[in-house]
Amino acid sequence: MKTYKIACIPGDGIGKEVIPAGQTVLEALAATQDAFRFEFTSYGWGGDWYGQHGEMMPADGLDSLRDKDAILFGSAGDPQIPDHVTLWGLRLKICQGFDQYANVRPTRILPGIDAPLKRCRPEDLDWVIVRENSEGEYAGVGGRAHQGHPIEVATDVSMMTRAGVERIMRYAFKLAQSRPRKLLTVVTKSNAQRHAMVMWDEIALQISREFPDVKWDKELVDAATARMVNRPASLDTLVATNLHADILSDLAAALAGSLGIAPTGNIDPERRYPSMFEPIHGSAFDIMGKGLANPVGTFWSCVMLLEHLGETQAARSLMAAVEQVTADPALHTGDLGGKATTVQVTDAVCGRIRGSGAGAKAA
Ligand code: ATP
């Protein structure tokens, strides 16, 4: 039997509720079959750790994650700590330290979910957004001078490398090729940003020649928001820069019903380092500690984790269990207009997993 070593980093806010829920469903899934099991290690990094140690994670934290098969991450964010400190001190430290350059964000309207667009049928919205996750607007290049003086200056420089753009374009074209519609939209802003984004477009064209069976088009990021709302069925796979995709994927999650449902994988496609899976939402301090958080975004992230491990059948079983639960409005949390708690949704998913006998456990 294979043992997968999984690092769990709940982080802050509702991360502390949804990550244990994710662990519970993965354990329930493992118990249904004999092919693999999980060995979880939890790390108490985040805002509380910062309060005690003055840093979001230990300086050698990456070393303790290096031998893991995957990481399950909650959120980083604390009202007492500036957002750029929490983001750069934990999530980005792991994403960038492990060169998880492809951030993959699937969006679908799951069964039973009442999505906000009137004319959008569930089959019209089935997207995967690929976010460049290692450079661009999040390269960390820039600085401040003359601080506190009237001539104070601050810069954030979006930095794109040919190698960085080539690898994310290749990843996105390959992903589009693997999906039934073989359709990719390259999101850009090369009308206004006339250096890096022009290179981005040129590289998209260059890489497209390696994938003659993929249909692709280009869309300015502002027009892409309108297209997502007005013509959702015209999109399938999208690739965008770090910042553009960050914004588009929140819109995508809202159009699919709730921020509480959407998953993310921070992938190192070359598998040099562990990849990291997390719900798209943040710490949501307004509902933390009340048992109200929707764990579905975490469960779907667990599905992506299983796919990454090559456990395709287990991934399908978990997704089927999640969809059976979302189909029942009595099991919707507050963000979906329901009254169910995190624990009730988690128990229901575990019940469906056990009921379906998800795997083939030897007697
Ligand atoms: P951060 O600053 O850490 O990104 P945030 O609190 O600003 O977090 P999000 O957590 O991304 O923002 O979510 C915004 C709002 O959406 C929350 O305040 C919460 O009301 C709702 N929300 C987000 N995720 C969930 C969830 N899993 N279940 C229920 N409601 C959610």
Side-chain angles (χ1 to χ4, degrees):
M1 189 190 283
K2 259 183 280 178
T3 299
Y4 294 118
K5 290 193 229 166
I6 309 294
C8 290
I9 309 176
D12 303 317
I14 60 169
K16 291 179 185 162
E17 296 163 64
V18 293
I19 294 309
Q23 196 173 327
T24 301
V25 299
L26 284 175
E27 264 161 358
L29 195 64
T32 63
Q33 48 75 56
D34 289 326
F36 63 83
R37 64 182 197 93
F38 296 109
E39 188 182 293
F40 294 101
T41 310
S42 277
Y43 298 84
W45 303 339
D48 296 344
W49 187 275
Y50 186 91
Q52 290 156 18
H53 305 276
E55 55 188 0
M56 291 291 288
M57 66 184 276
D60 62 354
L62 288 185
D63 289 334
S64 56
L65 301 177
R66 218 173 279 279
D67 71 327
K68 302 294 182 284
D69 294 298
I71 303 165
L72 190 58
F73 183 83
S75 74
D78 187 313
Q80 312 299 328
I81 311 170
D83 284 343
H84 66 277
V85 173
T86 54
L87 182 66
W88 281 90
L90 187 54
R91 191 180 161 275
L92 287 183
K93 208 166 183 171
I94 299 171
C95 289
Q96 298 193 349
F98 286 161
D99 202 18
Q100 295 162 343
Y101 66 81
N103 181 283
V104 180
R105 301 183 159 195
T107 313
R108 275 193 294 123
I109 301 175
L110 297 184
I113 304 294
D114 186 20
L117 285 181
K118 280 197 301 277
R119 293 191 308 273
C120 178
R121 299 164 303 171
E123 60 270 31
D124 293 336
L125 199 164
D126 182 358
W127 304 329
V128 184
I129 298 179
V130 177
R131 171 182 180 182
E132 201 296 314
N133 209 32
S134 68
E135 52 179 39
E137 306 88 343
Y138 287 53
V141 176
R144 290 176 73 169
H146 308 304
Q147 278 196 47
H149 295 283
I151 55 164
E152 181 165 355
V153 60
T155 60
D156 271 305
V157 179
S158 171
M159 187 203 67
M160 291 194 193
T161 62
R162 172 165 283 279
V165 178
E166 282 184 0
R167 67 185 184 174
I168 199 65
M169 285 296 168
R170 199 166 275 120
Y171 185 90
F173 271 96
K174 208 179 272 179
L175 182 65
Q177 191 179 45
S178 73
R179 288 168 56 84
R181 294 176 68 194
K182 300 188 193 304
L183 179 63
L184 177 70
T185 298
V186 176
V187 178
T188 184
K189 192 64 192 170
S190 51
N191 56 343
Q193 295 172 294
R194 61 202 175 119
H195 306 295
M197 292 310 294
V198 171
M199 182 179 82
W200 171 271
D201 291 0
E202 286 168 8
I203 292 174
L205 176 63
Q206 170 204 324
I207 300 297
S208 74
R209 297 191 180 115
E210 297 171 21
F211 299 88
D213 56 337
V214 174
K215 269 186 289 166
W216 72 287
D217 61 8
K218 236 174 21 183
E219 191 74 84
L220 295 176
V221 63
D222 43 337
T225 59
R227 184 167 161 191
M228 286 165 75
V229 173
N230 294 326
R231 291 188 297 130
S234 72
L235 296 163
D236 186 85
T237 309
L238 298 93
V239 61
T241 69
N242 217 329
L243 180 62
H244 291 167
D246 182 38
I247 297 165
L248 293 182
S249 53
D250 262 34
L251 173 60
L255 294 177
S258 169
L259 215 53
I261 289 177
T264 311
N266 299 284
I267 312 281
D268 166 26
E270 279 79 43
R271 296 176 182 266
R272 299 155 296 172
Y273 306 101
S275 292
M276 180 161 80
F277 301 85
E278 55 172 335
I280 193 175
H281 64 74
S283 40
F285 269 86
D286 54 329
I287 55 164
M288 72 172 273
K290 296 179 181 162
L292 301 176
N294 188 346
V296 167
T298 299
F299 297 161
W300 195 346
S301 304
C302 291
V303 171
M304 296 182 76
L305 181 152
L306 290 162
E307 284 165 351
H308 184 74
L309 295 176
E311 298 297 345
T312 316
Q313 187 49 48
R316 273 201 214 110
S317 301
L318 178 53
M319 197 68 215
V322 169
E323 292 190 25
Q324 283 165 26
V325 167
T326 63
D328 181 355
L331 292 169
H332 286 183
T333 43
D335 55 314
L336 297 171
K339 290 201 165 60
T341 63
T342 313
V343 169
Q344 285 168 335
V345 178
T346 308
D347 286 349
V349 171
C350 290
R352 301 299 190 285
I353 290 169
R354 288 188 202 107
S356 71
K361 189 164 176 74

